[in-house]
Amino acid sequence: MSDDKINTTEEKIHGVVDQAKGRIKDAAGGLTGDLGLQAEGKVDQLAGIAREEFADLYEESESLVEKGVSFVRDKPLLALGIASVVGTFIGWLLMPRRKG
């Protein structure tokens, strides 16, 4: 299971490196007038930002899952009751209504 987990610190570092690399390419492209290099730099910057944001979201979701698991372990009957009520409500919403 631990093989499936993402190393968020490593992802954040890669994101910062991508952003820095992108800034350098963007500046070099601006100085030399190479629009392709400049565009490539902007893409690298956006990729770095996306990578960092993904790592942050992954950390947040991981903590929410851990909270959910500990709630179910601590209060299994209450969790079952909540799941039953939610399931019944969703079923009621999705069932076709009879007209007549």
Side-chain angles (χ1 to χ4, degrees):
M1 178 95 174
S2 63
D3 294 340
D4 295 339
K5 289 191 176 188
I6 293 174
N7 185 346
T8 54
T9 305
E10 186 177 311
E11 286 298 314
K12 287 180 183 181
I13 291 170
H14 283 298
V16 170
V17 169
D18 286 347
Q19 286 183 58
K21 184 172 59 171
R23 284 192 197 101
I24 291 169
K25 285 182 182 180
D26 187 16
L31 290 173
T32 61
D34 186 351
L35 294 178
L37 185 61
Q38 206 169 6
E40 192 178 319
K42 293 199 183 299
V43 168
D44 285 347
Q45 287 179 37
L46 288 174
I49 291 169
R51 205 167 191 170
E52 281 188 86
E53 289 298 319
F54 172 76
D56 289 338
L57 287 173
Y58 186 85
E59 283 179 341
E60 288 176 27
S61 67
E62 205 172 36
S63 70
L64 288 174
V65 168
E66 287 173 8
K67 286 180 185 177
V69 167
S70 65
F71 176 78
V72 170
R73 280 189 186 140
D74 294 343
K75 301 174 182 177
L77 292 178
L78 180 59
L80 182 62
I82 292 171
S84 298
V85 169
V86 170
T88 302
F89 182 70
I90 290 173
W92 179 78
L93 286 175
L94 297 177
M95 289 294 287
R97 306 283 190 274
R98 287 188 190 178
K99 293 187 179 185

